């Protein structure tokens, strides 16, 4: 009986693309989708998210997630490996990231109940065939990684506050960390990526302004000290460790795979994720170059 309901739900999703044509058909598609997600995730602590996110919102989410990290890490990469190697690495990581996103999209279409990597591991391995074990392992890695990312983000926020108020002596980093946590607390109450997408729009505007100011500063000081500048196609002064470290830093400029499944699970029409992926990748490459 449950299998027949899942088949019906998947048929309705395929017919209406989780959008419907309005009225009863849209409600039927949404209700069938929720039943499918509940049947897949039942007993594993998940509440299926509402599919309300459009593909433009997803562009804001992905762009805001990645562009800040890329803008901060890529100058170090280019300085250590040279602009030729840096450009080649940037294109290579971009294509690999795009390909991995398309693969995850295909997996999510095949296993529509996969809200995150743990659910996907369960569905791929199968219940009763070791899927529970692999799900627990994947969840462990995911949550440890997210906890570490939260610590890094809080530290960077505290250091940013410290740099803003550089003239305030005697205030330690712990105080700035507490202040940063207090400022971020309201944003942590956002319970869906759809809500986060609007905060992502603000982040996108902020980073765009920062890029504009940096470019203006570079342009205005172009002829101030030409003797101190040099541009190497390949930097032969860097050690292997320095070059390798700089190259791995560039990977994080396209490291949004941790959000792809969760983002698709909230989209009104998950088939449009490819459009969001291509648009956000194009905007990232334009910003990086």
């Amino acid at each position: 009986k449950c299998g027949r309901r899942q088949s019906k739900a998947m048929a309705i999703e395929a017919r209406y693309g989780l959008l419907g044509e309005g009225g009863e058909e849209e409600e039927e598609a949404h209700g069938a989708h929720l039943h499918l997600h509940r049947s897949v995730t039942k007993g594993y602590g998940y509440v299926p998210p509402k599919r309300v996110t459009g593909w433009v919102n997803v562009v804001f989410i992905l762009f805001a997630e990645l562009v800040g990290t890329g803008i901060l890490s890529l100058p170090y990469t280019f300085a250590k490996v040279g602009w030729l190697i840096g450009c080649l690495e940037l294109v290579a990581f971009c294509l690999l990231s795009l390909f991995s996103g398309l693969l995850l999209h295909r997996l999510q279409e095949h296993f529509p109940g996969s809200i995150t990597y743990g659910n996907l591991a369960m569905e791929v391995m199968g219940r009763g065939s070791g899927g529970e074990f692999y799900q627990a392992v994947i969840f462990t890695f995911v949550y440890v990684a997210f906890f570490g990312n939260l610590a890094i983000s809080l530290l960077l926020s505290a250091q940013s506050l410290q740099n803003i108020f550089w003239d305030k002596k005697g205030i330690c980093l712990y105080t700035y960390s507490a202040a940063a946590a207090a400022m971020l607390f309201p944003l942590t109450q956002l319970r869906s990526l759809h809500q986060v997408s609007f905060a992502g729009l603000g982040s996108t505007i902020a980073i765009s302004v920062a890029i504009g100011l940096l470019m203006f500063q570079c342009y205005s000081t172009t002829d101030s000290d030409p003797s101190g500048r040099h541009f190497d196609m390949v930097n032969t002064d860097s050690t292997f460790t320095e070059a390798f470290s700089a190259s791995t830093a560039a990977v994080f400029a396209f490291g949004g795979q941790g959000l792809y499944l969760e983002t698709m699970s909230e989209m009104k029409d998950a088939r449009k994720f490819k459009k969001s992926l291509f648009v956000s990748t194009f905007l990232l490459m334009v910003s990086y170059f």
Side-chain angles (χ1 to χ4, degrees), residues 40-41 44 46 113-127 131-140 142-143 261-262:
V40 172
T41 60
Y44 295 94
Y46 271 98
S114 302
I115 302 175
T116 186
Y117 284 100
N119 302 122
L120 182 60
M122 168 68 79
E123 294 302 307
V124 171
M125 300 305 298
R127 300 179 188 272
E132 292 84 355
F133 170 77
Y134 287 103
Q135 178 177 250
V137 172
I138 296 300
F139 275 156
T140 300
V142 168
Y143 291 137
L261 289 176
E262 290 85 347

Side-chain angles (χ1 to χ4, degrees), residues 197-219:
S197 67
F198 298 101
L201 174 59
S203 177
T204 300
I205 294 174
I207 196 66
S208 299
V209 171
I211 294 173
L213 292 175
L214 288 173
M215 293 184 67
F216 174 78
Q217 180 68 17
C218 291
Y219 176 78

